[in-house]
Amino acid sequence: MRAAKSGKRPVGKVEDGALVRRLVGALPRASAQGRNRSTEWMSSIAASAAGKSLKLLIAAQPRLATLLAGIAGSAPYLWDLICADPARLLRFLTHSPEEEFTRLMKTALRSGVTARGTEGVMRVLRHMKADAALLIALADIGGVWPVARVTASLTEVADTALRVGIRRLLTDGAKSGKFRLADPKNPESGSGYMVLAMGKMGAHELNYSSDIDLMVFFDAATPALTDSTEATPIFTRLTRELVKLLQERTADGYVFRVDLRLRPDPSSTQIAISTDAALDYYESRGQTWERAALIKARACAGDLAAGAKFIGELSPFIWRKYLDFTAVADVHAMKQQIHVYRGHGEIAVEGHNVKVGRGGIREIEFFVQTQQLIAGGRNNVLRGRGTVATLTALTVGGWIDPATRDELTAAYDFLRVVEHRLQMRADEQTHSLPSDPKELEEFARFLGFATREAFATALLGHLRTVEKHYVRLFETAPAASEPRQQLSFAGPVASVSPTLDRLAEMGFRQPREVDAAVRRWHSAAYRALRGDQARKNLDELVPLIIQQLAATDSPDAAFLAFDHFLAGLRAGGRLLSLLRQKPELVGFIALILGTAPRLADILARHPHVIDLLIDPASFAALPGAQELKEGLVRAVGEARGYEEVLDAIRLFGQEHMFLIGARILSGSLSAARAGEVFAELADVLIRALAARVEEDFIGSHGRIRAQEIAIVALGRLGAREMTATSDLDLIVIYDFDDKEPESDGKRPLYGGQYFARFTQRLISALTVQTNYGVLYQVDMRLRPSGGSGPLATYIDGFINYQEREAWTWEHMALTRARVVAASAGFRARVERAIHNVLCRRREAAAVAADVVEMRGAIAQEKGDADAWDLKYAAGGLVDIEFIAQYLQLVHAAAAPQILDISTARVLEKAARAEILKAEDAEVLRPAARLYRDLTQILRLCLPGAFDPKAASAGVLGLLTRAADLPDFPALQAHLAEMERQVRECFVRILGAKP
């Protein structure tokens, strides 16, 4: 199949336009590991023809050595491709990349039709994808191709793969009598089968490891069908076979993951839809987000002429012939849910999502598409698919100035390069920068930057530029509507008045109660609203407050919560002044009150938590552990006595928990990072309380000689996967000089009694109710012997118990153990003990049986039939966590590198070590991410169980956006399918059904 192996193209001779001669720009900065790996590989192939030619080529082109070493040290997926076929690498380097790419596509089109059987077609496509992935990456990293050429080439690979698959399936269908082809040499033409590329693929802007978003339609009356009554089942089956050709993993990998969920009503329609049914749907039920999605729709495969005609028929739905204020209102609502007000959350670097994070790629796309929706109906020039090209069109049309175009174009190109580098390291569809500073430093060097700081400076410059323009767009966007009448709360109360009518029009079902409450505000019935300045601010703010609350999903409930909030404020002058200066903050408070009942309840009961949002310093990047520690020291600095210290710590904790929740709600903090931040806060609070408890305890009871105490976190705290409602799973391990077991204080305690009493004090400090509520609930049941064992455990007893008495489930819990507080030496000792326990050799079948039995017991106790009980549902989070824990217990003896407190990282490491099969990893890893993202929203917003039928549209919208799906029915269907697949993985890996 490959020309280099057939001898049709010379190998080693360097053409004038060869890739290796065109290396420019900042190549990756190789690490010592990368240089060593590259050198070792060159030595291993030194005797081969390709090895000799590569050695000569490197001597002639020294930048090539830098390129190879940079890839070797930072991109294992690319390095595997390089090592797999040195002759292929040599061919790509010594020839024109444009010509090589064209040859790859033509070869695939030709070979796909003649390949033997389905397996042969799949092999052709996967080889084509691997070849193209390496070639495009070399041209990208080497600075040979600009971003636009890279994304266009990635898209052409997808187009070609679809065309190969469809051409072969239609040809085979004709042989079996299902189709009557007008032109057997071009079977797609006249077939009536249309594949539309959506999103980035539609715009020729695919990223390096992208899924492909498709919609599949067919003409039910096409003459190509031998039996027109079978149109739906035939084309649906053909689509399933097409997806299989692309998506199924074989020994050669896969081609593309296919997403068909953008089709009309995905939860209740087939994956191939007739054009008549689709047109009827869009004309009667189409939504604004679907209009936005269809902007980039492109007929990419199948009957291209029919596909283009169908898109033309959709034009009246996509493009309105007037400035569409309904679309503007929808855009405003979407924007409020994602980034509610300017300045809420400084852009970070570590862990930042360059696609959906603040200042990211999606904001540039959103900036463009919003203006297309508003004005594209009246201006055909704005109907382009490409992001950069449309920025130019917006400039020509006077919608933006040239400086905005240039800044957003530069940011887009930069962020797409970053996105590609992230994905080509391991062929993963990730958009988030490494959270670990050391990993980020390595990634920065892969991008060609000298340091993490140099990369951060460039990145932050672009992100802030994008955010600036994104916010400015909505500041200047026209309002959806203006009140027909002024709201007036002065004068006598009337049973019928223009104000009551207007409140009813705005959506309030109890306008009299609203009117009465506002009159209470003006009468200074609430302490926070007394004083001339407060009343002046209130006069100006009331119409805005009413309008913002009316825009929520439940205006009356939001208003009632806001009224309680005002009533509970100790002083309102600062808040009202801030709202007057930054009225967009009203929208954020309204968002909380109308969308997140649990967060709204916290705000109403503890209005002091808003203080942290009012403080401009809080709008900077979220504080790390050291900043939190310093802030807590300041917070308790003026506290007098133990009770005041507890109050100060609770107030500090509540404010920061609320801030984390607010950022999740606004979209400025990812679910994954939120779990880590909640855990960082808990760590700091636990250490602070433990230190204070120990200080007071020693004052009463003294010390025991050589005493050591370790506070060990398990569960969600141990895994750094906490949510807004997580308990603290803790165990306390201690050591002392048993030759002198009595403490030396005024009221001495003996041995284990000393540490048990200390642990009781610590639990009380964490859980006791004070003026500022409860800090955390604490669960100590994971300690040795559970509820029947001592509160604190002697280190030798802990080791002995884990080695001789512990059940499998207790070892499973240890996989997430993390020492939160201890001296450095004792921390190392405890960690070593835990590591040794986890690395014991175990009988896989026995462990699997225990895990399955335990999962069944949990199902009996908790139930597993509710799909939205994401933790306990069959195929839910517990299934995934148990799989990860089972893999660690069974394989850590031989592969200790898979040990990790994070479920997601365990799955990643297990897949990399080939302990977890690729097809299972493809299911479990995205499922773990989805469950984590949805759980953060549910725990943040709702005080109890989630009932989709009773939930507000705002909560459903947050869940839908967290899953990156078009609507809630699509999420329902996707969740059900994902849970089914996860349970299948559980049974396949563990060998039995719970």
Side-chain angles (χ1 to χ4, degrees):
M1 175 188 134
R2 300 181 180 176
K5 293 183 178 180
S6 64
K8 293 181 180 178
R9 293 176 66 83
V11 176
K13 180 181 179 181
V14 183
E15 295 180 351
D16 289 340
L19 190 154
V20 73
R21 289 184 172 177
R22 294 159 60 184
L23 298 177
V24 296
L27 296 176
R29 294 174 180 263
S31 62
Q33 182 186 43
R35 289 191 293 271
N36 292 338
R37 189 172 292 162
S38 177
T39 300
E40 290 172 2
W41 177 69
M42 286 297 300
S43 298
S44 70
I45 64 169
S48 67
K52 294 175 182 177
S53 296
L54 282 170
K55 182 177 181 181
L56 293 173
L57 195 60
I58 289 173
Q61 304 286 344
R63 287 173 64 83
L64 176 58
T66 302
L67 176 65
L68 293 178
I71 293 173
S74 300
Y77 170 67
L78 295 181
W79 187 242
D80 287 346
L81 290 176
I82 287 172
C83 296
D85 191 347
R88 172 178 60 185
L89 171 66
L90 182 63
R91 183 174 74 252
F92 288 168
L93 292 171
T94 55
H95 294 85
S96 160
E98 294 79 12
E99 292 179 7
E100 280 296 306
F101 183 81
T102 299
R103 183 188 64 81
L104 288 176
M105 299 303 101
K106 288 181 177 178
T107 300
L109 281 169
R110 182 175 61 252
S111 302
V113 176
T114 59
R116 181 175 299 177
T118 300
E119 293 76 14
V121 180
M122 294 172 79
R123 191 175 305 113
V124 167
L125 293 177
R126 282 149 183 76
H127 286 180
M128 180 265 288
K129 172 66 182 300
D131 289 350
L134 179 57
L135 176 60
I136 294 169
L138 290 171
D140 187 355
I141 299 171
V144 178
W145 283 355
V147 171
R149 177 61 203 258
V150 170
T151 58
S153 297
L154 291 167
T155 305
E156 190 173 345
V157 174
D159 286 357
T160 301
L162 285 166
R163 290 171 185 173
V164 169
I166 292 171
R167 185 170 295 182
R168 179 57 181 263
L169 291 171
L170 288 173
T171 300
D172 291 349
K175 292 177 181 178
S176 64
K178 293 186 179 70
F179 295 103
R180 189 186 303 110
L181 302 179
D183 181 3
K185 293 184 178 180
N186 185 15
E188 308 99 303
S189 180
S191 66
Y193 182 72
M194 300 155 249
V195 178
L196 303 190
M198 307 295 289
K200 284 184 168 62
M201 184 177 176
H204 294 281
E205 294 172 350
L206 272 186
N207 52 52
Y208 193 81
S209 295
S210 180
D211 294 353
I212 54 176
D213 294 303
L214 306 175
M215 291 201 296
V216 177
F217 301 98
F218 61 86
D219 177 3
T222 177
L225 281 175
T226 55
D227 184 355
S228 60
T229 63
E230 290 292 308
T232 296
I234 287 175
F235 284 120
T236 298
R237 191 158 47 248
L238 188 151
T239 304
R240 286 200 184 98
E241 292 169 354
L242 177 63
V243 171
K244 177 182 177 181
L245 287 177
L246 299 179
Q247 188 167 280
E248 185 172 288
R249 277 192 173 273
T250 71
D252 298 306
Y254 71 103
V255 189
F256 288 100
R257 295 174 294 266
V258 179
D259 193 336
L260 297 168
R261 293 172 297 184
L262 287 178
R263 68 186 185 275
D265 198 7
S267 61
S268 59
T269 57
Q270 295 286 356
I271 55 178
I273 305 171
S274 75
T275 52
D276 289 341
L279 287 170
D280 178 71
Y281 170 87
Y282 288 123
E283 289 171 2
S284 60
R285 289 182 286 160
Q287 301 176 56
T288 299
W289 73 261
E290 290 172 304
R291 291 176 56 205
L294 284 166
I295 287 175
K296 293 186 176 184
R298 171 178 62 86
C300 65
D303 193 337
L304 297 179
K309 180 183 176 183
F310 176 63
I311 291 175
E313 291 172 335
L314 291 175
S315 182
F317 167 68
I318 305 170
W319 308 110
R320 304 293 167 83
K321 295 300 180 183
Y322 48 84
L323 288 178
D324 188 359
F325 292 110
T326 300
V328 178
D330 289 345
V331 166
H332 271 282
M334 292 165 63
K335 183 257 183 183
Q336 279 187 320
Q337 297 290 343
I338 300 171
H339 298 302
V340 181
Y341 65 94
R342 182 175 40 140
H344 182 70
E346 184 74 12
I347 297 168
V349 179
E350 277 81 3
H352 192 77
N353 188 307
V354 297
K355 176 184 177 182
V356 299
R358 279 189 174 273
I361 296 166
R362 180 159 290 180
E363 287 193 354
I364 302 174
E365 296 170 340
F366 201 74
F367 179 93
V368 170
Q369 290 177 351
T370 300
Q371 296 178 90
Q372 286 181 287
L373 280 179
I374 294 169
R378 299 174 65 176
N379 187 344
N380 292 350
V381 177
L382 297 181
R383 299 185 184 184
R385 298 186 183 96
T387 301
V388 172
T390 306
L391 284 171
T392 298
L394 288 168
T395 306
V396 172
W399 288 84
I400 62 175
D401 56 48
T404 299
R405 174 200 60 202
D406 294 343
E407 289 178 346
L408 289 178
T409 297
Y412 182 80
D413 287 347
F414 178 85
L415 293 173
R416 292 306 305 270
V417 169
V418 173
E419 180 185 51
H420 289 164
R421 293 291 194 283
L422 282 170
Q423 296 181 349
M424 64 177 57
R425 294 186 302 165
D427 191 26
E428 291 181 334
Q429 193 189 15
T430 181
H431 307 276
S432 295
L433 294 168
S435 297
D436 181 75
K438 292 182 179 178
E439 292 182 20
L440 186 64
E441 178 83 24
E442 178 185 324
F443 179 70
R445 294 174 66 83
F446 183 43
L447 273 167
F449 288 90
T451 62
R452 175 261 181 210
E453 286 69 27
F455 166 64
T457 299
L459 174 72
L460 290 173
H462 288 301
L463 294 178
R464 287 167 179 156
T465 294
V466 172
E467 183 185 31
K468 173 187 69 177
H469 292 299
Y470 179 79
V471 171
R472 187 178 298 162
L473 169 65
F474 290 99
E475 286 180 340
T476 57
S481 62
E482 294 295 334
R484 294 181 215 165
Q485 300 166 329
Q486 292 293 324
L487 295 170
S488 175
F489 300 95
V493 179
S495 59
V496 178
S497 72
T499 293
L500 296 180
D501 290 342
R502 179 62 189 136
L503 289 170
E505 290 175 6
M506 296 174 76
F508 292 98
R509 295 183 179 181
Q510 298 176 318
R512 289 187 181 86
E513 283 75 2
V514 174
D515 178 77
V518 176
R519 290 173 184 273
R520 285 199 301 273
W521 299 353
H522 284 295
S523 68
Y526 298 156
R527 178 174 57 181
L529 303 180
R530 295 169 187 165
D532 292 340
Q533 188 60 46
R535 283 195 292 271
K536 180 179 179 182
N537 288 332
L538 186 66
D539 288 340
E540 294 190 15
L541 284 169
V542 162
L544 175 63
I545 292 170
I546 296 296
Q547 190 171 25
Q548 293 286 354
L549 296 175
T552 64
D553 295 306
S554 180
D556 292 278
F559 182 88
L560 181 62
F562 195 87
D563 185 50
H564 288 168
F565 168 61
L566 289 180
L569 279 178
R570 298 178 180 179
R574 185 161 56 107
L575 173 61
L576 294 175
S577 296
L578 177 72
L579 295 181
R580 185 179 175 190
Q581 295 170 11
K582 294 183 176 294
E584 59 266 33
L585 185 57
V586 175
F588 177 66
I589 295 175
L591 174 71
I592 292 175
L593 299 178
T595 306
R598 182 182 175 278
L599 213 57
D601 185 52
I602 293 172
L603 187 59
R605 286 186 291 110
H606 304 291
H608 56 267
V609 298
I610 202 69
D611 286 352
L612 205 63
L613 294 180
I614 296 171
D615 184 356
S618 300
F619 297 157
L622 277 168
Q626 184 59 33
E627 291 87 350
L628 285 171
K629 179 181 177 181
E630 293 170 357
L632 184 56
V633 169
R634 291 192 296 271
V636 300
E638 297 181 2
R640 297 178 181 177
Y642 186 69
E643 296 300 326
E644 285 192 14
V645 168
L646 291 185
D647 279 346
I649 290 176
R650 275 156 175 69
L651 176 58
F652 182 87
Q654 286 175 356
E655 288 177 341
H656 281 81
M657 288 178 198
F658 185 82
L659 177 62
I660 296 167
R663 293 190 175 211
I664 297 171
L665 191 63
S666 72
S668 62
L669 182 65
S670 70
R673 181 63 182 140
E676 296 172 354
V677 175
F678 275 126
E680 285 177 1
L681 176 62
D683 287 354
V684 169
L685 296 174
I686 291 169
R687 291 184 194 120
L689 280 169
R692 183 55 192 256
V693 167
E694 186 174 22
E695 179 184 336
D696 286 3
F697 195 76
I698 290 172
S700 299
H701 303 287
R703 296 177 181 272
I704 296 180
R705 180 179 174 84
Q707 74 176 48
E708 294 281 3
I709 299 176
I711 301 171
V712 182
L714 299 102
R716 299 216 172 279
L717 173 59
R720 297 185 184 274
E721 295 171 354
M722 288 186 72
T723 69
T725 60
S726 293
D727 295 347
L728 304 184
D729 291 297
L730 300 175
I731 60 175
V732 174
I733 300 174
Y734 65 87
D735 192 16
F736 64 101
D737 184 351
D738 57 7
K739 294 178 181 178
E740 298 183 29
E742 191 173 50
S743 67
D744 58 7
K746 299 175 183 177
R747 289 182 287 164
L749 295 172
Y750 192 86
Q753 182 189 26
Y754 179 96
F755 299 100
R757 192 78 59 84
F758 164 81
T759 304
Q760 287 175 330
R761 291 272 189 95
L762 176 61
I763 295 172
S764 176
L766 288 165
T767 61
V768 69
Q769 178 93 26
T770 76
N771 294 329
Y772 290 96
V774 172
L775 191 57
Y776 292 106
Q777 296 296 331
V778 175
D779 190 340
M780 301 287 292
R781 290 175 296 177
L782 290 177
R783 68 187 187 273
S785 299
S788 62
L791 281 177
T793 306
Y794 184 42
I795 180 67
D796 291 343
F798 174 81
I799 294 171
N800 182 67
Y801 179 86
Q802 296 296 339
E803 289 180 348
R804 301 185 181 184
E805 300 180 48
W807 297 78
T808 298
W809 68 264
E810 292 176 287
H811 288 170
M812 292 166 66
L814 277 188
T815 63
R816 308 172 91 177
R818 179 171 61 85
V819 179
V820 171
S823 67
F826 195 51
R827 174 191 296 270
R829 186 177 172 191
V830 172
E831 289 175 343
R832 184 167 57 253
I834 293 171
H835 182 83
N836 291 341
V837 170
L838 296 179
C839 289
R840 279 174 40 191
R841 294 195 177 278
R842 294 175 173 85
E843 178 61 42
V847 175
D850 288 347
V851 173
V852 172
E853 181 182 2
M854 184 178 174
R855 184 64 185 96
I858 291 174
Q860 284 188 340
E861 179 184 353
K862 303 289 187 180
D864 65 357
D866 180 3
W868 278 102
D869 187 351
L870 298 176
K871 181 176 181 179
Y872 294 115
L877 190 57
V878 168
D879 280 28
I880 299 177
E881 291 174 345
F882 277 20
I883 289 170
Q885 291 161 12
Y886 163 79
L887 293 175
Q888 291 179 90
L889 294 184
V890 170
H891 296 284
Q897 70 271 18
I898 73 167
L899 291 176
D900 203 295
I901 55 174
S902 162
T903 300
R905 288 197 297 271
V906 170
L907 296 174
E908 180 180 338
K909 291 177 178 180
R912 194 180 303 147
E914 299 183 349
I915 291 169
L916 180 65
K917 292 182 179 179
E919 57 266 30
D920 290 325
E922 285 288 326
V923 173
L924 296 174
R925 291 165 66 187
R929 286 194 296 271
L930 176 68
Y931 297 163
R932 175 198 65 203
D933 294 351
L934 297 179
T935 297
Q936 283 289 3
I937 297 296
L938 291 174
R939 295 293 181 270
L940 174 68
C941 291
L942 302 179
F946 173 62
D947 179 2
K949 296 179 181 177
S952 70
V955 172
L956 299 183
L958 284 172
L959 292 169
T960 300
R961 276 182 289 280
D964 198 19
L965 289 173
D967 56 24
F968 189 74
L971 172 56
Q972 291 262 63
H974 180 56
L975 179 63
E977 175 63 16
M978 185 156 278
E979 289 180 345
R980 182 189 67 78
Q981 293 180 5
V982 169
R983 177 48 64 92
E984 288 179 353
C985 289
F986 183 94
V987 174
R988 186 160 52 244
I989 294 169
L990 276 299
K993 185 176 181 180

